[in-house]
């Protein structure tokens, strides 16, 4: 059942009209869908930062354990050297052990210093985490609010949207896929979502450039599908009333 060009154009016009109504419905939702998406991205960003801080804290804690273990080791050595010192046979041995003891005392001081520094870093990271967490809590509140608003708007128009989508799909199956694809492509590129337009007052209804009289006659003939040479939109017909008014 091959449609005539006139029938195809009629179907495309119908498709356009439904799609324009769908566009209007979605426009009612305004910037809300974008706002919700932005807030969702922001929350994910916060979560990523918190995750990064937590991993950094884990690394710092490993370092901290290392310093504490090092200190314990030095304390053990000190105890050992002190025992040895009791049993030295001469001054030379005593001095050698005293040097070792001094070295281990320094090790302990160094470990204590690094422990303090690392604990300070961990404390700062935890502060950063709670800052980010409270900022995130605020954003989550905003997000919840916006989601609710959007849900209400969507619920209001959902029924209409469903009906329109059903008739849109039905209309689309009546024309060959190639043509529907072309229609979708033109619509996707058009800022106003118009892929099929009428010639009005001698001009393309999409880009308002003049359509020459001979071309207008061809469009009215509906022997083939003609597109605007300026914007590529499909020119379905010439608005007769407008012509008469001229
Ligand atoms: Zn045009």
């Amino acid at each position: 059942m091959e449609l005539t060009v006139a029938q195809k154009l009629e179907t495309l016009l119908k498709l356009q009209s439904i799609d324009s109504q769908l566009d209007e419905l979605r426009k009612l939702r305004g910037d809300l869908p974008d706002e919700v998406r932005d807030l969702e991205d922001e929350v994910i960003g916060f979560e990523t930062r918190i995750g990064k801080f937590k991993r950094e804290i884990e690394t710092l804690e490993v370092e901290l354990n290392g310093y504490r273990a090092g200190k314990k080791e030095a304390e053990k050595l000190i105890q050992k050297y002190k025992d040895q010192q009791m049993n030295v046979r001469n001054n030379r041995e005593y001095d050698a052990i005293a040097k070792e003891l001094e070295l281990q005392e320094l090790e302990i001081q160094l470990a204590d210093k690094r422990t303090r520094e690392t604990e300070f870093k961990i404390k700062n990271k935890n502060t950063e985490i709670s800052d980010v967490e409270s900022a995130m809590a605020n954003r989550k509140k905003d997000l919840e609010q916006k989601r609710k608003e959007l849900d209400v708007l969507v619920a209001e128009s959902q029924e209409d949207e469903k009906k329109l989508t059903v008739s849109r799909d039905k209309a689309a199956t009546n024309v060959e896929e190639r043509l529907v694809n072309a229609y979708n492509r033109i619509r996707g590129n058009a800022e106003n979502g118009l892929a099929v337009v009428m010639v009005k007052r001698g001009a393309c209804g999409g880009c308002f450039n003049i359509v020459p009289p001979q071309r207008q006659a061809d469009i009215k003939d509906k022997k083939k599908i003609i597109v605007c040479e300026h914007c590529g939109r499909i020119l379905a017909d010439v608005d007769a009333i407008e012509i008469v008014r001229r």
Side-chain angles (χ1 to χ4, degrees), residues 197 204-209 228-233 235:
V197 294
C204 164
C207 69
F208 308 112
N209 277 297
C228 171
E229 45 196 348
H230 298 282
C231 68
R233 289 182 176 92
L235 297 166

Side-chain angles (χ1 to χ4, degrees), residues 8 175-183 185 225:
K8 284 179 191 173
V175 239
E176 70 225 72
E177 209 182 323
R178 188 184 57 83
L179 204 53
V180 176
N181 288 342
Y183 165 86
R185 198 179 55 243
I225 289 171

Side-chain angles (χ1 to χ4, degrees), residues 5-96:
V5 172
Q7 284 169 325
K8 284 179 191 173
L9 286 170
E10 202 181 307
T11 311
L12 285 178
L13 263 180
K14 193 173 163 194
L15 209 55
Q16 179 66 71
S17 146
I18 296 169
D19 275 336
S20 294
Q21 289 177 67
L22 280 168
D23 288 347
E24 278 306 310
L25 278 186
R26 287 174 190 141
K27 223 185 274 171
L28 287 178
R29 292 171 196 164
D31 295 333
L32 265 179
D34 284 340
E35 286 172 26
V36 166
R37 213 169 309 128
D38 287 349
L39 283 168
E40 282 168 348
D41 287 347
E42 225 177 318
V43 168
I44 290 170
F46 283 138
E47 279 165 352
T48 307
R49 273 172 72 193
I50 290 171
K52 186 175 151 267
F53 287 147
K54 284 188 174 161
R55 279 194 301 280
E56 285 169 355
I57 287 175
E58 276 168 24
T59 307
L60 289 170
E61 270 164 357
V62 169
E63 284 175 23
L64 204 55
N65 286 336
Y67 302 142
R68 284 175 181 151
K71 183 180 175 176
K72 251 184 209 152
E73 186 59 33
E75 283 169 343
K76 237 189 260 169
L77 283 174
I78 285 173
Q79 196 51 55
K80 190 182 113 191
Y81 292 145
K82 277 185 176 163
D83 291 345
Q84 284 178 358
Q85 230 173 13
M86 307 283 211
N87 303 309
V88 289
R89 281 164 297 181
N90 52 47
N91 277 348
R92 203 173 49 81
E93 268 184 33
Y94 185 91
D95 287 346

